Each structure stands twice: as C-alpha cells, then as structure tokens.
Amino acid sequence: MDGGEDSATVRGQGPEATAPSAEAERPPLTGRIYYLLGGTLPSTYNAWISRDLTGPGWRTRQAARPLILMLPFAVIFALLPGEVAVRAATVAFLLVAGAGLGFATSGFFRNRRLEQHGFPPMFSASDDEDDE
C-alpha cells in the first residue's frame, strides 16, 4: 500500500509530475455530483480530478464519499416511527459504518477512479493484498 501518506506524485514519476494547483477548472455542481456517484468526467477536468485523487487530503475525500451517500438513508431511518433510541442507534450505525468502509476502501477506489479517468494507478493490485 502507500503507507497512508498523501502523495502528490504518481509512482514512477519525478517531482515535476505533482498534482495541479487549486486553480484547476472545477466541474459544475451537477458534474461534481455525477463524479461523486462514480461517473467519468470529460478530459477538460483532468487537472481537477488529478488533484482530487492525488493531492493532499485525498484519503479523507475518498472516505467522505460513502458517508455522503449514506446520509439519505440515515435521514429516512431517523424519520421512521419508533423509539428515539432505536432510531438514533440506527442512524449512528449507518454513519459510522459508511465512514469506516470509506476509509477501509479508499485506496482501492482511488486506483479504480484513476484508471477510469486514464491515469496510472498509485499502487498495483498486489500491493493492496495482505501478505500471509
């Protein structure tokens, strides 16, 4: 794996191949929602995508995606009739599970999204497996 570090360069490239600055063109809100749901953006936004997936804080952004996708379900369960304690526990479980799964799978999904947009993966599939 990558050791949990937020790397700004792609493996095998020099320091001149760092992630673009924050001045990269951002997609519109609808494009960002589409991207959040797993869609592929046009190549015009490659600099923004590269910064999102390789820049500082990439792991937190990747982990936030499942959490954000879990929010509508948490709201629905919070509004269902029943005891407040049961509803609160269900909502808490959904949000904690979403965050935990997000952090546990962030490296895998970052690689998948990098390849989806035509970038080389940050680490190979063999690095992602545990050696026994």
Side-chain angles (χ1 to χ4, degrees):
M1 289 178 76
D2 64 355
E5 297 175 12
D6 289 342
S7 173
T9 61
V10 176
R11 178 180 286 175
Q13 295 181 350
E16 66 278 353
T18 58
S21 67
E23 298 172 4
E25 182 182 357
R26 293 177 68 175
L29 179 61
T30 54
R32 283 181 278 170
I33 292 171
Y34 179 65
Y35 175 75
L36 171 72
L37 296 174
T40 304
L41 292 177
S43 60
T44 356
Y45 303 113
N46 274 353
W48 182 82
I49 294 166
S50 176
R51 193 204 69 72
D52 180 56
L53 296 173
T54 61
W58 71 267
R59 188 174 302 276
T60 305
R61 286 190 297 277
Q62 289 298 311
R65 287 185 170 101
L67 181 65
I68 291 169
L69 294 173
M70 193 67 72
L71 281 176
F73 297 102
V75 169
I76 289 170
F77 278 102
L79 297 175
L80 289 176
E83 292 184 35
V84 174
V86 173
R87 290 185 290 160
T90 304
V91 168
F93 173 75
L94 287 173
L95 296 179
V96 169
L101 286 171
F103 276 107
T105 60
S106 62
F108 172 78
F109 282 110
R110 174 175 75 161
N111 260 2
R112 184 187 153 284
R113 293 178 73 83
L114 282 168
E115 291 175 350
Q116 176 183 6
H117 288 91
F119 295 106
M122 294 298 284
F123 54 87
S124 66
S126 63
D127 290 344
D128 198 24
E129 299 173 357
D130 293 333
D131 295 337
E132 296 181 34

